[in-house]
Every structure is written in structure tokens, then in C-alpha cells.
Amino acid sequence: MENYTFRLTPGQDLFDSIESFVLQNQIEAGCILSGVGSLTHAVLRLANRGVYNHYAGYFEIVSITGTVSIHGSHLHISISDGDGQTIGGHMESGCKIYTTAEVVLLAFDDLSYRREYADDSGYEELVVYNG
């Protein structure tokens, strides 16, 4: 296993930056251990919805979790507004960093995560390969 910790800066796209980091480091299988920071814009797909919701304002990143791979990632995020109201969902491109985002990622050397169509869900789902 290998631990990576990195910081993103204002204006960067959170999802795209994590994906770029995974690609640059050729991470076949990993997970987000921790993610905190702030956003000015968020794009989420909420539970059982086929459309993306866009949120503008100032948000704290309460948590980021999920699996990452050069073969496809699946990330969720929780954000809270100035009143502490919290919302979460499937993170997409378009989440823009306000002041910072600190991401801690763990990579697994002996696994490969792939995304393959699953009849039971109708989505590209996680398949784990050894080596």
C-alpha cells in the first residue's frame, strides 16, 4: 500500500483533479481516506436521480469517500452551507475549490479496480481483480 496526500488550490475542479492525480500516478486501485476543504460550486447526482444538481455558494467539504482507479472512479461527497445544512451525493466534474481541498488517498499495490456493466443494477459497477 502507498499513501498519497495532496492539496488542491482555488479554482481547481475537485473531481477532475483527483482523476488526474490517479492517472498521473497510475493508481490501479485505491480509496479516499479523507477529504476536507471548501467549494464555491458543487455538482452532485442525488439518490435515484438521473440528473445532476448544481449548487452555487460557499460550502465546507464535510467528507469525500469512494474508490479510485485509472479504469474509473466512484466518489461521493458531503458538503455543508453557512447554516450547517448538509447535502451529499455522487460527485461529478464541476466542483470548484474555494480556498483549499486536502485529499488523503491510499493505493493498493496488489489489486486492480475495474468498472463493468452489472445486470443487477444497470450501471458500471466495481469489479476487483488481483494483481
Side-chain angles (χ1 to χ4, degrees):
M1 292 186 288
E2 187 160 358
N3 173 13
Y4 296 94
T5 302
F6 56 96
R7 176 180 178 256
L8 302 174
T9 57
Q12 287 186 279
D13 186 291
L14 179 59
F15 183 85
D16 291 349
S17 295
I18 292 171
E19 288 285 86
S20 292
F21 185 89
V22 169
L23 184 60
Q24 177 184 359
N25 290 280
Q26 288 296 291
I27 297 170
E28 292 266 344
C31 67
I32 302 294
L33 293 178
S34 177
V36 297
S38 59
L39 300 175
T40 57
H41 191 86
V43 180
L44 307 176
R45 183 176 51 79
L46 304 180
N48 203 34
R49 301 231 178 119
V51 298
Y52 301 124
N53 289 47
H54 292 257
Y55 303 90
Y58 297 99
F59 304 99
E60 290 292 331
I61 300 169
V62 177
S63 70
I64 306 169
T65 189
T67 56
V68 295
S69 172
I70 59 173
H71 307 292
S73 298
H74 184 188
L75 300 174
H76 286 199
I77 188 170
S78 295
I79 57 172
S80 65
D81 65 16
D83 295 321
Q85 297 296 311
T86 303
I87 190 164
H90 183 88
M91 182 171 48
E92 293 291 332
S93 294
C95 296
K96 297 296 182 184
I97 305 297
Y98 176 43
T99 60
T100 192
E102 301 166 6
V103 179
V104 181
L105 189 152
L106 184 63
F108 306 104
D109 300 328
D110 57 344
L111 299 174
S112 180
Y113 292 168
R114 305 287 174 131
R115 297 272 153 199
E116 298 176 8
Y117 181 81
D119 288 328
D120 60 348
S121 72
Y123 290 98
E124 298 283 317
E125 301 289 4
L126 178 68
V127 178
V128 180
Y129 291 94
N130 290 316

